[in-house]
Amino acid sequence: MDGETRTYLAGTPSGALERQTATIELGALEVLIRITHSGVCGTDAHDRTASCGLGHEGVGVIHRMECISGYRQYCHKSVGQKYGAEDHGTFCDYAIRHQDFVNPIPDGLPSKYAAPLVCAGITVYEALQAAEVKSSDRVGVVGLGGLGHIALLYAKAMGCDVSVFSASEKKWEDALALGANEFHVLNTTGKASEPLDVYSKVNVLLLCGGAITDYGILLPLLARRARVVPVIIQTKDITVPYMPFILPGMKIIFSLGATRENEQNALKFADRHKIRPWIQEYPMTVDGLNSAFAGLDDGSMRYRAVLSKELGNEFSV
C-alpha cells in the first residue's frame, strides 16, 4: 500500500459528504490498518463542514508495519519525528497511524462494540480514574446519551451504585436496563420551581450531557467532599458558588482524553467485564453516515452509531 491510493469520507463546507482519495506512504514508525468498523462521535457531526476526513473511533486489522525488531534508530526509513502528516479519519478503507497511537483490541471484545470505546469509553474511564473512584462510592451521571450510558456501564462494573440525572423522563427505562440504581429528572437550566429530591447523594459526579454553566444546580446532588468531573466540551464559561463548594470540601476535576496506559486498561476492563455499549449499526457509506448523523441530530440515537463494512461499504478492501 506504500504510495497507493486510499479512499475516505470527508466533510465539505456545505455539510455534504464526499468520497475522496489520497496517497500516503507508510512511515518507519507507522502501521497500516484495514478498517472494519468506526464509531460515529458527536465531534464528527461538528466537523462535517470542516473539509477534513471524518472519524476517530476506528477499529480494524493491522495490514502492514515497519521496524518490528524495535531497533528504530537503525531503520533505513528513519527520518525522526514526523510532523504535519495528513490524517484522513477512520471512515475509510485503510488508515495509517503512528505506532504509539494504536492499541490492541482484546480478543473477547467484538470490534463493533470496541469502536465507541476507543473514544467515549476511554474518556469516561479516565474521568473515573481521575476522580479516584472506589467501589464504595455512589457515582452520578448527568446526561444519558452516547457518553453517559457508557459511563454508567463502567461505573457499575467497578462495583459502584449509580444515579442517573437526565433532562428526559423518557430515559428512565433505559437507565434501569443499563443498571442504574436511581433515576432523576434534572432541569439543567436552573429554573426548576422545586428542589430536586435526591435519595442518595453522590460521591463522584460525571457531567456527560449538554453544557451546564451554573454549577449551583449540582449542589443538591453532592455528598460532602464530592468530586465533579466534566467530560464534555463546551465553549461557555461556568459559574461556581464559592463558599458552598469550599466548605464541604468539593472538588472539580477536569479530565480530557486518556493516558496511553488508561486507553489500554479501559479496553481490557471492558473485555473482562463484558461491557457492551448500546449501538446502532450502519453501512460504511455516504448514506450510512448521513443516517447516523440524522439520528444524532434529532436525538433518536440509542446510543452510539457504528459504521460497519459488514453491512456494506464504498471502498476497495
Side-chain angles (χ1 to χ4, degrees):
M1 286 291 294
D2 286 9
E4 295 186 12
T5 299
R6 299 170 54 248
T7 308
Y8 60 97
L9 293 184
T12 63
S14 68
L17 299 173
E18 291 183 352
R19 291 177 67 236
Q20 298 185 7
T21 59
T23 300
I24 300 180
E25 294 187 358
L26 183 63
L29 302 180
E30 294 176 325
V31 295
L32 182 68
I33 302 168
R34 178 170 54 83
I35 296 294
T36 61
H37 298 79
S38 183
V40 182
C41 187
T43 52
D44 295 316
H46 297 156
D47 289 342
R48 60 182 161 183
T49 59
S51 298
C52 65
L54 300 175
H56 58 273
E57 294 182 341
V59 175
V61 179
I62 290 180
H63 188 74
R64 184 180 300 177
M65 65 178 65
E66 299 287 345
C67 290
I68 58 175
S69 66
Y71 291 97
R72 59 186 184 181
Q73 67 271 39
Y74 304 126
C75 178
H76 71 284
K77 288 189 176 181
S78 180
V79 291
Q81 180 62 46
K82 185 176 182 181
Y83 293 99
E86 293 185 3
D87 180 0
H88 298 103
T90 56
F91 304 153
C92 61
D93 50 0
Y94 289 88
I96 294 177
R97 292 291 183 272
H98 189 282
Q99 63 183 16
D100 291 344
F101 294 91
V102 176
N103 294 308
I105 304 299
D107 291 340
L109 183 58
S111 294
K112 64 181 181 180
Y113 296 117
L117 298 182
V118 299
C119 177
I122 65 176
T123 297
V124 297
Y125 183 89
E126 176 81 12
L128 291 166
Q129 296 301 306
E132 298 180 344
V133 70
K134 303 182 294 294
S135 60
S136 57
D137 286 330
R138 176 174 289 272
V139 173
V141 177
V142 175
L144 190 69
L147 198 64
H149 94 285
I150 298 179
L152 194 169
L153 292 172
Y154 268 102
K156 285 296 294 185
M158 292 176 181
C160 303
D161 281 355
V162 181
S163 297
V164 171
F165 305 92
S166 172
S168 173
E169 191 171 0
K170 296 179 181 178
K171 301 285 185 74
W172 179 78
E173 290 187 1
D174 285 355
L176 295 186
L178 286 160
N181 300 89
E182 294 182 11
F183 178 87
H184 305 276
V185 177
L186 176 65
N187 186 343
T188 56
T189 65
K191 298 179 181 178
S193 58
E194 298 180 0
L196 187 66
D197 182 18
V198 177
Y199 310 122
S200 306
K201 306 287 187 179
V202 302
N203 309 105
V204 175
L205 185 66
L206 269 57
L207 306 183
C208 302
I212 296 179
T213 57
D214 181 5
Y215 276 34
I217 66 174
L218 304 177
L219 285 169
L221 319 180
L222 304 175
R224 300 185 71 83
R225 302 187 69 224
R227 293 90 77 195
V228 179
V229 190
V231 291
I232 57 173
I233 296 176
Q234 67 180 61
T235 57
K236 297 179 180 180
D237 293 337
I238 63 173
T239 299
V240 179
Y242 184 72
M243 293 304 289
F245 262 76
I246 292 294
L247 293 178
M250 307 293 191
K251 294 181 181 179
I252 299 176
I253 303 170
F254 294 98
S255 176
L256 183 64
T259 64
R260 179 162 173 76
E261 179 182 20
N262 277 341
E263 286 180 353
Q264 298 184 13
N265 287 343
L267 294 171
K268 293 176 183 176
F269 187 88
D271 178 34
R272 185 179 308 118
H273 293 276
K274 306 302 180 186
I275 290 176
R276 299 290 185 264
W278 286 15
I279 64 173
Q280 294 181 213
E281 291 186 82
Y282 302 85
M284 195 174 288
T285 63
V286 170
D287 288 343
L289 184 52
N290 276 326
S291 296
F293 280 152
L296 291 173
D297 290 341
D298 64 20
S300 63
M301 186 67 64
R302 292 294 185 272
Y303 279 99
R304 298 289 295 196
V306 175
L307 301 189
S308 171
K309 288 188 177 176
E310 296 174 353
L311 301 182
N313 72 89
E314 293 175 343
F315 311 113
S316 57
V317 180

